[in-house]
Amino acid sequence: MNAQTVRRVGVVVNYLSLVFLLMMFYFAEKDGVVTAHFVGMAVSFMITIITFYIVNKKTGLWGLTHRKIENLDEREIQLTHNALRYSYAIFSILILCSIFILSIPGFIKSFGELDTFRASMRIGFMVLMYLAHTLPASIIAWKEKEV
């Protein structure tokens, strides 16, 4: 497997493990925490950390996408500009869809049950913040043959 393929697999596994973490958190919140939920959350969290390291830290993409523009050469400026442009377009759409989808249960549920809904919203927004910071590096990991 070439480096670009490894990065792409890492990006997919990273985001899938994050979705799984959210699902486990939601089910644990809804049904009560059982061992399976706890194990699922722990495993998915560890996979997220490992794949974050492989895709973002080990390749230097985290530093590239978070470096000041004065510290970038012309190629890096162009690369990060395009990655930021794509990632924030994707992120904006995800935010709008998430807010819409996540607000539906709040309108349906009674006022007394909204505490659970608010807790789910908090973890959801934490994941969206994570996406905001990792999408630029993921775009570069996905598109570029060499970094």
Side-chain angles (χ1 to χ4, degrees):
M1 240 186 311
N2 65 28
Q4 184 182 27
T5 303
V6 170
R7 290 192 313 267
R8 284 182 175 181
V9 169
V11 167
V12 169
V13 171
N14 183 265
Y15 289 145
L16 285 177
S17 66
L18 204 58
V19 168
F20 188 75
L21 175 66
L22 280 174
M23 289 173 44
M24 287 294 98
F25 183 84
Y26 172 77
F27 290 130
E29 192 175 58
K30 182 175 164 264
D31 303 331
V33 177
V34 295
T35 305
H37 295 141
F38 182 76
V39 170
M41 286 186 277
V43 168
S44 59
F45 184 69
M46 290 305 296
I47 291 171
T48 301
I49 290 171
I50 291 166
T51 54
F52 168 82
Y53 175 77
I54 292 168
V55 173
N56 292 285
K57 291 301 267 182
K58 192 174 178 184
T59 62
L61 290 172
W62 176 267
L64 176 65
T65 58
H66 286 80
R67 208 175 302 149
K68 290 184 179 184
I69 197 164
E70 303 87 43
N71 299 331
L72 299 173
D73 64 28
E74 191 61 38
R75 177 189 165 276
E76 292 170 334
I77 291 170
Q78 190 66 30
L79 194 62
T80 56
H81 169 74
N82 286 330
L84 289 168
R85 188 168 53 94
Y86 284 114
S87 63
Y88 289 120
I90 294 167
F91 185 72
S92 298
I93 292 167
L94 286 174
I95 287 282
L96 292 173
C97 291
S98 297
I99 289 170
F100 176 73
I101 291 167
L102 291 174
S103 66
I104 292 171
F107 294 120
I108 295 170
K109 290 183 177 190
S110 68
F111 184 75
E113 296 175 356
L114 284 178
D115 288 336
T116 301
F117 173 69
R118 288 186 187 118
S120 295
M121 290 287 285
R122 282 192 295 271
I123 192 73
F125 285 118
M126 283 188 258
V127 167
L128 290 172
M129 288 303 296
Y130 173 81
L131 284 174
H133 286 281
T134 61
L135 274 173
S138 296
I139 296 291
I140 294 171
W142 192 268
K143 290 181 72 176
E144 296 301 312
K145 292 187 184 211
E146 292 188 25
V147 289

